Amino acid sequence: MRRLLLTGGMLLWSLVTVLAQGFPLQHRRVPAYDFASFKENRISGESEDFELFLRKLDSLVTTGKGDVRILHVGGSHVQGGSWTGRLRENLLGLRYGLDGGRGLVFPYAVAGTNTPSTYRSYGTGTWEASKCLHPDCVLGATGMAITTSDSTATATVDMMIDGRIRWTPAFCFNRVTVLGYGSLEPVIIMGRDTLRGREQAGRWAFELPHYTDYARVGFRGYPGRYTLKGMYLDRTDGGLTVSEAGVNGATTSAWLRCDDFVEDLKLVMPDLVILSIGINDIQGADFSDTRFIQNYKEIIRRIRKVNPHCAILLTTINDSWKRGNPNRYTESAVAAARKVASETGAVLWDLYEIMGGHGSMEGWAASGLAASDRVHFNASGYGLLGNLMFNALMDRIER
């Protein structure tokens, strides 16, 4: 039996955490719905790698020392940031001072798409965007890229939204790694200062003179060209980092088109990867469970090429509707995901079963938890998913 230690010194940390962040240390309260099956909210399967991850997380929460990294990969469910954001918020609430940095980020707005809800992005100059659905350049772990030949171009990610910090902690950082390639040299612009980095294994690393809440990338060495695949925002003192990599519309096939996925993942070096891909695989008329299984296994193989002991948490797709009826491929995709988990040693969070199974999305929509398309959730629904996943993780730690 393993449990988070909530006695002695941890009782003091409980009070500090609740006062400082307002998050309870244990399970988040979730409402009951007739259409849902929250009694099925569990992480199933046995995995030595997942047990190793749980021990590392337990140790970090108990002692405040260590470095634990989680990456959530998917489509629009993940790009929006609300699902991962709630999970991140709950995990960081386990102990005051766990923040290990914001991790992997991308200036989505510069690519003309939505930025995750927990930060903002913007840019100047002229950029060309590419994403893994139909890539026209080499992509990596974010599944997206922006390219410029513009001498004035900048791309910024900012932890402040509407001029204020909305999140606790504020995700300040003092290290930035720029992922990309080209003849231009990326620099970090901080006010009137321009910082040059060190090139390491095809990426540029910057040690900042102080902690900050934004990173603005510019360039030197014109003329030239540069493709930016993302940034990694880090702290020198370790902690818990929860990153998301989501691309609207991305399928399992699309993620396999990211040729630099493995190289970029070496920087992230996750202890746990949560894979929530598949809702877009069933939107066409040619879904193949055989292809779906092969694709998922290849994605997992690539992750384990970077970290052979990385824990894999596979989530089944949600119930969704198409042309006024439940999507006919949903149950095939759910069965395929369960098969992948059992054959690869991944653990499984069965979202389809938890939300109520066939036709249950109608209940989620009627209760104000899903979008009108009956495919996506809304902010409240994604927040509920984050709470449910967090509770399932806590159950496994306390088992």
Side-chain angles (χ1 to χ4, degrees):
M1 298 289 289
R2 291 178 290 103
R3 293 183 177 273
L4 293 177
L5 301 181
L6 299 176
T7 58
M10 282 300 292
L11 287 176
L12 176 60
W13 277 114
S14 330
L15 178 60
V16 171
T17 301
V18 170
L19 290 176
Q21 296 188 337
F23 305 141
L25 282 173
Q26 287 296 326
H27 297 68
R28 298 306 302 265
R29 185 174 299 172
V30 297
Y33 297 101
D34 292 340
F35 51 82
S37 298
F38 291 167
K39 67 181 184 299
E40 306 297 338
N41 182 36
R42 67 177 66 92
I43 294 172
S44 60
E46 299 301 323
S47 163
E48 292 184 5
D49 295 331
F50 190 65
E51 293 301 312
L52 174 62
F53 161 74
L54 292 177
R55 288 195 295 272
K56 287 188 68 174
L57 179 62
D58 192 359
S59 176
L60 177 62
V61 173
T62 302
T63 67
K65 298 179 181 179
D67 188 18
V68 175
R69 299 184 177 192
I70 300 172
L71 176 65
H72 192 184
V73 180
S76 53
H77 288 331
V78 177
Q79 183 176 332
S82 296
W83 179 359
T84 318
R86 180 62 60 83
L87 177 64
R88 178 189 300 111
E89 179 182 285
N90 290 338
L91 288 170
L92 291 176
L94 288 170
R95 181 186 178 109
Y96 180 72
L98 282 185
D99 175 24
R102 190 55 181 77
L104 187 67
V105 296
F106 183 81
Y108 290 89
V110 183
T113 187
N114 59 297
T115 303
S117 56
T118 51
Y119 62 95
R120 67 185 181 121
S121 63
Y122 49 92
T124 62
T126 302
W127 294 89
E128 301 169 359
S130 180
K131 62 180 183 177
C132 57
L133 277 68
H134 304 287
D136 52 18
C137 64
V138 176
L139 306 179
T142 66
M144 301 193 71
I146 50 175
T147 301
T148 188
S149 300
D150 184 349
S151 63
T152 67
T154 65
T156 302
V157 293
D158 194 341
M159 300 302 106
M160 295 187 70
I161 302 174
D162 299 331
R164 60 192 176 95
I165 295 290
R166 286 190 177 181
W167 310 98
T168 302
F171 300 111
C172 293
F173 49 90
N174 62 350
R175 293 196 298 198
V176 177
T177 303
V178 175
L179 297 166
Y181 53 89
S183 56
L184 296 178
E185 176 188 340
V187 296
I188 297 295
I189 301 170
M190 300 184 67
R192 296 181 179 179
D193 297 326
T194 298
L195 306 181
R196 298 184 66 181
R198 307 185 315 275
E199 187 174 13
Q200 300 176 336
R203 53 177 86 95
W204 289 84
F206 299 84
E207 301 290 337
L208 308 185
H210 53 76
Y211 280 89
T212 184
D213 53 25
Y214 77 100
R216 177 171 295 127
V217 176
F219 301 97
R220 68 189 304 273
Y222 308 106
R225 188 173 176 85
Y226 194 83
T227 296
L228 177 66
K229 298 182 295 177
M231 304 176 226
Y232 196 86
L233 311 181
D234 202 5
R235 301 169 63 95
T236 55
D237 47 1
L240 175 66
T241 303
V242 182
S243 303
E244 67 263 273
V247 179
N248 295 341
T251 61
T252 52
S253 296
W255 277 105
L256 290 176
R257 298 186 190 111
C258 299
D259 295 334
D260 276 356
F261 184 85
V262 169
E263 287 304 310
D264 288 356
L265 205 64
K266 290 177 181 177
L267 173 64
V268 181
M269 194 53 70
D271 299 288
L272 169 68
V273 173
I274 304 169
L275 294 173
S276 300
I277 317 170
I279 193 65
N280 297 302
D281 289 70
I282 67 169
Q283 297 309 308
D286 62 343
F287 175 75
S288 164
D289 54 357
T290 300
R291 181 176 64 241
F292 187 72
I293 291 169
Q294 291 174 341
N295 286 351
Y296 242 126
K297 286 184 175 180
E298 176 60 18
I299 290 170
I300 292 171
R301 187 195 69 80
R302 293 183 186 185
I303 294 168
R304 287 177 172 160
K305 185 176 181 181
V306 175
N307 177 7
H309 297 292
C310 181
I312 306 294
L313 172 55
L314 196 64
T315 75
T316 61
I317 64 171
N318 55 285
D319 181 64
S320 64
W321 291 51
K322 186 174 182 180
R323 298 189 180 94
N325 294 291
N327 192 307
R328 62 184 175 130
Y329 293 123
T330 299
E331 293 189 349
S332 294
V334 169
R338 292 168 179 164
K339 182 178 177 63
V340 170
S342 67
E343 293 183 354
T344 62
V347 292
L348 183 76
W349 191 65
D350 200 332
L351 174 56
Y352 180 69
E353 184 176 30
I354 293 165
M355 70 180 295
H358 181 79
S360 59
M361 179 56 94
E362 185 64 21
W364 285 69
S367 298
L369 297 169
S372 59
D373 64 6
R374 305 301 197 268
V375 174
H376 299 88
F377 301 88
N378 58 21
S380 296
Y382 285 120
L384 179 55
L385 296 190
N387 286 341
L388 288 165
M389 180 174 281
F390 171 77
N391 288 350
L393 277 169
M394 293 302 98
D395 286 343
R396 282 296 293 249
I397 288 177
E398 294 178 346
R399 198 173 69 173

